[in-house]
Structures are given as structure tokens and as C-alpha cells.
Amino acid sequence: MSQFRLARLCLMLAAVGLNSAAVIPAVNAQDKPAAAAAAAPKDTVRPELFKLLDPAQIKPLMDAKNYAEIQSRVTQAEAFPNRTPYEDYVVNRMKLSLGSATNDNAISIPALEAVIASGRLAPNEQADFIQALANMHYNAKDYPKAIEWFKRYQKESPTPEKVAAPLTRAYYLGGDYASAKTALLPAIEATEKAGQKPSEEDLRLLASSANKVKDDAGYLVALEKLVAHYPSDDFWTDLLNRGVARKSGFDAQTNMINVYRLESAAVKQMAAEEYVDLAELSLRDGFPTEAKKTMDAGYAAGVLGKGSNAKTHSALRDKANKGAADDAKNIAAGEAGAAKAKTGAGLVNLGWAYATMDQGDKGVGFIQQGIAKGGLKNAEEAKLRLGMAQVRAGKKAEAISTFQTVKGGGGAGDLAKYWLVLLQQQK
């Protein structure tokens, strides 16, 4: 995760510098002290102090980067006894300019705090300075202080949203994951509601924050959003694991194969063991052509046929190839028997077999007949396979309509939901 580096104070205060530093009205050195005190404006600087901090003299020193001389003048100014609040304010503004120019937080932070506390800044300037101070604490990795000042900015500024992102990151980097999660989710949802795409960093932060506080449901929400907006093989694999296979009530016997089917459609490359598992499950369920294509894909991806498992992979591939060849010769002969069966299970299986042979339209038709005939042990899984067959047949609109009807537990409803996510991405 990026450090989300914020602008240095010198950038925030680029316009503050000497040109916009506090005006320093000077008392005429020739005046008598009493007369000078009577005639002077309320906010003045004594002439001897003014000589040290005169902007006309400081500016060329700053331009020449003669910071040692400026520091000397500031040190001398700080040594003046009985300074007035306004003189303190002027000295701190000068220290702030020096600290900003030299990136010296030890100078800048206390000076900036003093300037803010002076009560002499206009409201908009006060808010900018508060934000700058929060940024400085953030960049110094003093996250508790950064949080304190970001929150103050939100209270005093008409644009509290400006610091929402760094405040959230300060929470996270400071170890307050619960607050980070609480702040992130509504902001992300508001972005989506406005028809905009949340940043991947925000979504990753939400997922990580939820994970840190062991909020599995919150992590899954973040993961679903990551898959929806920034799909990757890792996100998809994690989603199918946490959002389907590891959920309570998941029917692995029926739907683990369907998890792999969706994964194979969603990712660029599966792990070697996943290609093997899908091929073996396909053979178990009587779909050798699907097993053959799965093994072919694993070999094409370069993850099968290597290492200590090379012989095992080769044997499984040979078995799948032989079964696929036999199935291609004999599948038509099974149509009559499937049609005469008391339930629609045979028709559903026949239809999926045709779908795996790239005869999508024919496959869809048989699955629909099987569902209509009824008597199925798991009608939701049959609808799930109908949707997948429609995808293979290029009937995506029909597939979407089908997946929207898949309900129930065991994983079928969750898989249908994530098929809809995938189809939306492909649109």
C-alpha cells in the first residue's frame, strides 16, 4: 500500500512566504517612547525587532538560501524580552517560513501550532494552516497527532471531505483499523452511488482493515467490490474461496466443480492443482470432454506436465482424451434414454455434455427440457448449469436472466451472483 505522501508544508504554504507574511507596522525610531506608544497601531513591532525581521531584508536572504543568517535573526528576535502577542505571532510566522523552506519539522511544527493558536488568521487561512499541520504530522508518521488535526480541520472547514482520505490512512497506519473501516465503507458506497469508481487503494484498505479486525463479512464486501471494479486472478480466487467454498452450508460434493468452472472462466490462469481437480471432478460426473479441455488448458498455460507430477498429469490427460473420444461417438445414442427417464436429470447431464462439446444451443435445449421435466435432486444447480451453458452458447442476456433466478444454499446462489459480476465485466 502506498504511503499516500502528502504535500510538504512548503507546497501548502507556497503563497504564504514573505510576500504574504504578517504585516509588520514599525514605530518611527525618532519618536519619543511615550508618543510612539500613544500613536502606534495596536499591532506593532518594536523598531529593533523589525530590523531583524524586515521582509525587505529577509527576502533576498531567502532567495539566496542563506538560511543560517535567517536563523540567526530569528534566534536574536526570540531573545527579545517581554515580546507582545503580536510580536510572537510575527516571529512564529518567520520561523514557519524558515522551517518550510528547509523542511525542518522541529522548527515548523511548533511555529505552525503557535500561529494557529494566535487567533489572528482569517477562517479560510486558519483551515489551510490546520490542514498543513495535520499533513506535517502525517508525513512525520505521528499518526495520533495527524488524526487530531485532520479532525479539527473537519470541524472548522467548510470542506471536511478534503481530508477524508488522509484521515482514513492515518487511522490505518496508526493501527486503528476499526476506525479506518468505519470511515472507508460509507465513503466508498457514496462514490459508487454517484456512479463513480472507488480507488483500488481505498478498496484494498477496506479489505485489509476488515481483515485486521477479523470482520469476515466486511472483508468479503471489500473483496466483492475489488472483483467488480479491479478484477484480477488473485481477487477472483480469493472471492470464490471465501465467498463460496468456505461459507457455512457449502455443498462441496455438488458445487466444488462449479466453483472451478467459474474460476476457469474468470481468471487467466488457474493453479496446477485446480486444473487437475476440475478434470478429475469432470470425469467423476461423466463429462470427459470437459476434463480434456481442462487438461489442455493447463498444459497450454505451462503449469501441467512438469516436475514430479508430470507422469500423473500425463496419465490423467490420456484418460480424459480417451473418454472424450468415446463420448463424441456415443453421446447421440443417449438422447432417447434421457428423454424416456422419469426425471429430468439425464437431460440436464446430456445438455451439459453437449455444451462442453461446443454445441451450446443443443446443450441449452436439453437442459431446459430436463428442468421442465422436473424430479431433480437439485433444481438450483441445474439452473446454474443452464446459465453456464447459455454463456458457452453466446447467449449472455439469457444467461443473466437465468442466473438471476438461481437461489438456495449449497453455493449455487453465491455462484450465480458471481457469474453475474463476471458477465457484467465482460459487457
Side-chain angles (χ1 to χ4, degrees):
M1 185 192 67
S2 74
Q3 265 292 324
F4 193 78
R5 292 292 296 170
L6 302 172
R8 293 294 305 176
L9 180 64
C10 57
L11 298 179
M12 171 67 74
L13 303 180
V16 173
L18 293 172
N19 292 332
S20 58
V23 178
I24 310 178
V27 179
N28 190 321
Q30 303 300 318
D31 292 339
K32 293 180 180 180
K42 179 180 179 182
D43 290 334
T44 60
V45 173
R46 283 169 283 177
E48 56 270 32
L49 188 58
F50 177 80
K51 289 179 182 179
L52 292 171
L53 305 179
D54 181 2
Q57 297 182 39
I58 294 294
K59 187 177 187 306
L61 293 173
M62 194 70 79
D63 291 342
K65 298 184 179 181
N66 190 351
Y67 303 129
E69 174 60 22
I70 298 171
Q71 179 63 70
S72 174
R73 288 170 174 252
V74 168
T75 301
Q76 294 176 61
E78 288 185 301
F80 268 71
N82 304 316
R83 292 195 309 274
T84 67
Y86 184 71
E87 287 175 333
D88 281 340
Y89 171 70
V90 171
V91 171
N92 281 311
R93 286 295 292 255
M94 188 59 66
K95 289 175 67 177
L96 182 55
S97 293
L98 175 61
S100 175
T102 58
N103 291 327
D104 190 336
N105 285 353
I107 295 174
S108 298
I109 288 178
L112 188 49
E113 288 178 343
V115 168
I116 292 170
S118 71
R120 294 176 178 275
L121 298 173
N124 62 326
E125 192 179 26
Q126 176 92 342
D128 287 343
F129 276 48
I130 289 171
Q131 183 183 8
L133 181 55
N135 290 352
M136 290 188 68
H137 282 302
Y138 183 100
N139 289 334
K141 299 184 179 180
D142 186 349
Y143 300 116
K145 275 289 185 182
I147 291 167
E148 174 187 333
W149 286 99
F150 281 134
K151 291 174 76 172
R152 179 170 170 181
Y153 175 89
Q154 288 187 325
K155 289 181 180 179
E156 299 186 20
S157 168
T159 56
E161 69 281 354
K162 283 179 64 176
V163 300
L167 173 59
T168 299
R169 283 149 181 77
Y171 280 136
Y172 182 89
L173 294 170
D176 188 353
Y177 306 116
S179 293
K181 178 174 72 75
T182 299
L184 276 164
L185 186 56
I188 289 169
E189 289 176 340
T191 299
E192 290 177 319
K193 189 175 181 180
Q196 299 173 349
K197 187 176 181 179
S199 73
E200 183 175 353
E201 185 181 25
D202 278 352
L203 294 174
R204 283 178 176 271
L205 274 175
L206 178 61
S208 182
S209 298
N211 191 50
K212 294 282 189 181
V213 297
K214 302 187 185 306
D215 179 2
D216 292 340
Y219 180 84
L220 184 57
V221 167
L223 191 55
E224 288 176 347
K225 293 181 183 297
L226 279 165
V227 165
H229 295 294
Y230 302 96
S232 72
D233 284 10
D234 287 341
F235 291 154
W236 265 112
T237 301
D238 198 12
L239 177 63
L240 294 176
N241 181 35
R242 292 173 181 262
V244 185
R246 282 172 51 182
K247 287 184 73 172
S248 176
F250 174 66
D251 182 358
Q253 180 70 20
T254 300
N255 279 319
M256 195 64 229
I257 189 171
N258 289 323
V259 171
Y260 288 134
R261 285 165 174 160
L262 174 51
E263 183 181 0
S264 68
V267 306
K268 296 180 180 68
Q269 179 179 304
M270 295 197 298
E273 60 271 21
E274 292 171 334
Y275 285 111
V276 170
D277 285 350
L278 176 53
E280 290 179 340
L281 290 172
S282 297
L283 287 172
R284 179 202 70 180
D285 290 351
F287 305 114
T289 301
E290 182 176 38
K292 175 190 182 307
K293 289 186 175 180
T294 299
M295 294 302 292
D296 288 346
Y299 272 88
V303 298
L304 296 183
K306 296 180 177 180
S308 60
N309 291 320
K311 289 185 178 179
T312 302
H313 296 163
S314 179
L316 181 59
R317 190 182 197 185
D318 289 343
K319 183 178 180 180
N321 286 340
K322 182 179 184 304
D326 291 342
D327 210 24
K329 294 177 183 177
N330 302 321
I331 188 170
E335 293 181 14
K340 293 177 182 178
K342 292 182 179 180
T343 73
L347 289 167
V348 170
N349 288 333
L350 183 66
W352 181 250
Y354 274 120
T356 66
M357 295 176 179
D358 299 326
Q359 298 183 54
D361 288 339
K362 197 170 186 177
V364 167
F366 278 117
I367 295 175
Q368 288 173 329
Q369 291 177 42
I371 292 172
K373 192 168 189 177
L376 303 173
K377 289 183 179 180
N378 194 326
E380 298 305 310
E381 196 273 340
K383 288 194 291 184
L384 186 64
R385 270 199 271 174
L386 173 60
M388 291 188 289
Q390 288 167 329
V391 171
R392 287 172 176 255
K395 302 175 182 294
K396 289 188 177 180
E398 294 178 20
I400 288 172
S401 297
T402 298
F403 287 132
Q404 288 172 340
T405 70
V406 179
K407 309 296 180 187
D414 293 318
L415 285 164
K417 178 174 71 172
Y418 296 143
W419 267 107
L420 290 170
V421 172
L422 178 61
L423 294 178
Q424 183 61 39
Q425 289 171 358
Q426 293 174 346
K427 285 178 64 178

